[in-house]
Amino acid sequence: MRYFIEFAYNGKNYFGFQVQPNAISVQETLDKALSLLTRQTIEIVGAGRTDSGVHAKQMFAHFDANELSNIPKLIQGLNSFLPQDIVIYKIQIVHDEAHARFDAISRTYQYHIHTFKDAFINEGSWYVHQKLDIDRMNQAAEILLEYTDFECFSKVHTDVKTFNCKITEAFWTTYENQLVFTISADRFLRNMVRAIVGTLINVGIHKFSIDDFRKVIESKNRGKAGFSVPAHGLYLVAVQYPYIK
């Protein structure tokens, strides 16, 4: 039977989501816990691949297993067994062809920034000491919705077949000394959100004009875009499927 598992994690102690040699990952940690508690060999397939240090407030994965008789007890056991930085919310049966990665119709990320030194939020938010022009940054962010090819924000030497993404929202919100950038799309390229945020920061400090931002997108050249902001401020916050509420 095929199951979807919904979970969250703090990425500080992991070298990304995906299993990799000689490095601890979220996927490997979950595989081991599920295999041990179900007494079956479980290998999960995630909705995406967050990079080292990136967090997820909502992540999904699917796995195949013999029928699980007591899912609430399994969730309780997993949350007791797993490290404090991974939490399981739900496990549910889905149809046999359901796929956590390919069936996702939308993903939403948020990037957190604070503009005044803070002793308590540094592990999950990036401190920017320069004065930022939020109105200009939002004007530039709106331009993202006009384009579909985002090769300029993609990590170089990646193996993707297309750089096309349909962005449905991209905006900044502020609360006291904290800023949050929210962006949703059908898919994201490797390092894309962090590169977009870095480029928008250049707009916010008046290093790039609004027109410069447009030219960066049209250039399809990663070297023209801004720097990649640190991973610890980035969160995957939502993944949507047509068959899951």
Side-chain angles (χ1 to χ4, degrees), residues 105-171:
I105 58 176
S106 176
R107 297 167 173 85
T108 300
Y109 281 89
Q110 289 185 337
Y111 194 86
H112 290 246
I113 286 173
H114 54 289
T115 56
F116 190 83
K117 187 175 181 180
D118 192 303
F120 303 102
I121 63 174
N122 289 299
E123 290 189 355
S125 177
W126 180 46
Y127 174 43
V128 177
H129 60 84
Q130 298 106 316
K131 182 176 176 58
L132 298 175
D133 189 331
I134 308 302
D135 289 338
R136 277 171 56 96
M137 291 163 65
N138 266 323
Q139 289 177 47
E142 288 181 6
I143 293 173
L144 293 166
L145 278 64
E146 301 175 21
Y147 294 86
T148 55
D149 188 323
F150 296 103
E151 184 174 359
C152 67
F153 298 127
S154 174
K155 192 167 186 174
V156 295
H157 306 305
T158 185
D159 59 356
V160 297
K161 296 180 180 179
T162 173
F163 296 97
N164 289 347
C165 307
K166 181 176 176 54
I167 296 177
T168 54
E169 62 177 358
F171 59 90

Side-chain angles (χ1 to χ4, degrees), residues 16 18 29 36 44 55 58 75-76 80-81 84 116 131 142 188 193 204 213 217 221:
Q18 190 176 18
T29 304
L36 180 66
I44 65 172
H55 319 291
Q58 183 184 57
I75 293 173
Q76 184 180 25
S80 297
F81 180 80
Q84 293 293 320
F116 190 83
K131 182 176 176 58
E142 288 181 6
F188 286 92
V193 179
F213 187 80
I217 300 173
N221 186 339

Side-chain angles (χ1 to χ4, degrees), residues 13-32:
N13 296 319
Y14 301 94
F15 288 85
F17 172 78
Q18 190 176 18
V19 170
Q20 51 190 297
N22 304 317
I24 185 172
S25 69
V26 176
Q27 184 178 17
E28 179 184 12
T29 304
L30 282 171
D31 283 351
K32 289 180 177 178

Side-chain angles (χ1 to χ4, degrees), residues 17-236:
F17 172 78
Q18 190 176 18
V19 170
Q20 51 190 297
N22 304 317
I24 185 172
S25 69
V26 176
Q27 184 178 17
E28 179 184 12
T29 304
L30 282 171
D31 283 351
K32 289 180 177 178
L34 280 163
S35 297
L36 180 66
L37 270 66
T38 63
R39 298 181 181 180
Q40 304 179 52
T41 300
I42 303 294
E43 294 182 358
I44 65 172
V45 177
R49 306 174 182 177
T50 55
D51 290 335
S52 178
V54 175
H55 319 291
K57 291 186 176 180
Q58 183 184 57
M59 175 63 110
F60 286 91
H62 76 255
F63 64 90
D64 294 328
N66 296 327
E67 185 174 2
L68 304 176
S69 60
N70 192 334
I71 290 179
K73 184 178 180 180
L74 174 60
I75 293 173
Q76 184 180 25
L78 286 168
N79 282 326
S80 297
F81 180 80
L82 286 164
Q84 293 293 320
D85 48 18
I86 299 178
V87 58
I88 308 301
Y89 293 130
K90 183 182 291 186
I91 298 175
Q92 62 187 96
I93 297 174
V94 290
H95 63 273
D96 290 345
E97 301 301 318
H99 199 289
R101 180 182 176 189
F102 298 140
D103 291 354
I105 58 176
S106 176
R107 297 167 173 85
T108 300
Y109 281 89
Q110 289 185 337
Y111 194 86
H112 290 246
I113 286 173
H114 54 289
T115 56
F116 190 83
K117 187 175 181 180
D118 192 303
F120 303 102
I121 63 174
N122 289 299
E123 290 189 355
S125 177
W126 180 46
Y127 174 43
V128 177
H129 60 84
Q130 298 106 316
K131 182 176 176 58
L132 298 175
D133 189 331
I134 308 302
D135 289 338
R136 277 171 56 96
M137 291 163 65
N138 266 323
Q139 289 177 47
E142 288 181 6
I143 293 173
L144 293 166
L145 278 64
E146 301 175 21
Y147 294 86
T148 55
D149 188 323
F150 296 103
E151 184 174 359
C152 67
F153 298 127
S154 174
K155 192 167 186 174
V156 295
H157 306 305
T158 185
D159 59 356
V160 297
K161 296 180 180 179
T162 173
F163 296 97
N164 289 347
C165 307
K166 181 176 176 54
I167 296 177
T168 54
E169 62 177 358
F171 59 90
W172 291 89
T173 53
T174 60
Y175 175 72
E176 295 181 347
N177 297 312
Q178 298 180 45
L179 283 69
V180 177
F181 177 63
T182 301
I183 183 167
S184 298
D186 58 345
R187 65 188 287 259
F188 286 92
L189 306 168
R190 286 194 64 190
N191 207 56
M192 178 175 167
V193 179
R194 291 164 62 191
I196 288 175
V197 173
T199 310
L200 289 173
I201 292 294
N202 282 342
V203 173
I205 61 175
H206 291 237
K207 183 177 180 179
F208 285 4
S209 68
I210 302 295
D211 191 49
D212 288 336
F213 187 80
R214 186 182 295 276
K215 289 178 180 177
V216 165
I217 300 173
E218 293 176 354
S219 75
K220 302 183 182 181
N221 186 339
R222 179 65 185 90
K224 299 290 186 182
F227 61 101
S228 180
V229 293
H232 69 272
L234 183 60
Y235 299 77
L236 174 63

